[in-house]
Amino acid sequence: MSYQSAAALQQALYDMLTNDPTLTGLLPGGVHDAPLPGTPQGTYGVLGVEDAIDRSDITGPGAEHRVGIAVVSDASGFLVAKSAAARISQILPDMQPALSTGRVVAIWFHQARARQVEGGSIRRIDLTFRVRIEG
């Protein structure tokens, strides 16, 4: 198993998310690799949380990356955040972005968790995707 594709995967996912005009409209605050400081304003995405699991086999090295993408919104209700999360769930599964290191075999939706944070004033949806990489 190797973690050598992690940075390349994050860059590829970032590119896929930021190059989708529909998602850009739903996330006017953009996509970032860390939560924005202070109280969130608007709606934005956070990419970067990840676990990697060895999936090497007889054919060679491999890993399953469980990548987290959060949608954070100060909009009242969950509709805005859920719309952005739904679009992310449409974009990623079954995509096979080119990586500078390794090869994406497949991307699957794994789970989502929607909740209120910061005293109920912020909506946050944490999406998890499983990404199988070989090489």
Side-chain angles (χ1 to χ4, degrees):
M1 190 255 210
S2 175
Y3 195 62
Q4 68 184 2
S5 299
L9 175 60
Q10 182 168 336
Q11 184 64 55
L13 294 175
Y14 176 85
D15 291 344
M16 288 170 45
L17 297 175
T18 58
N19 289 323
D20 182 82
T22 301
L23 184 60
T24 300
L26 294 168
L27 294 175
V31 176
H32 307 275
D33 67 354
L36 298 179
T39 301
Q41 295 185 354
T43 302
Y44 65 93
V46 180
L47 171 66
V49 175
E50 173 183 22
D51 292 313
I53 302 163
D54 183 23
R55 292 291 185 247
S56 301
D57 59 25
I58 196 165
T59 64
E64 177 182 307
H65 294 253
R66 294 198 178 168
V67 178
I69 301 172
V71 175
V72 181
S73 180
D74 66 353
S76 62
F78 275 97
L79 183 60
V80 171
K82 286 184 177 182
S83 296
R87 182 63 185 159
I88 292 168
S89 293
Q90 289 175 326
I91 296 168
L92 295 187
D94 300 323
M95 294 294 290
Q96 292 181 310
L99 302 180
S100 59
T101 305
R103 180 180 75 85
V104 172
V105 175
I107 301 174
W108 302 275
F109 171 78
H110 181 66
Q111 69 182 23
R113 180 175 183 224
R115 64 188 189 281
Q116 296 176 336
V117 295
E118 296 192 27
S121 63
I122 303 299
R123 308 304 185 258
R124 181 180 173 114
I125 300 175
D126 292 301
L127 302 161
T128 305
F129 294 87
R130 293 173 40 224
V131 183
R132 175 71 165 92
I133 297 177
E134 292 180 342

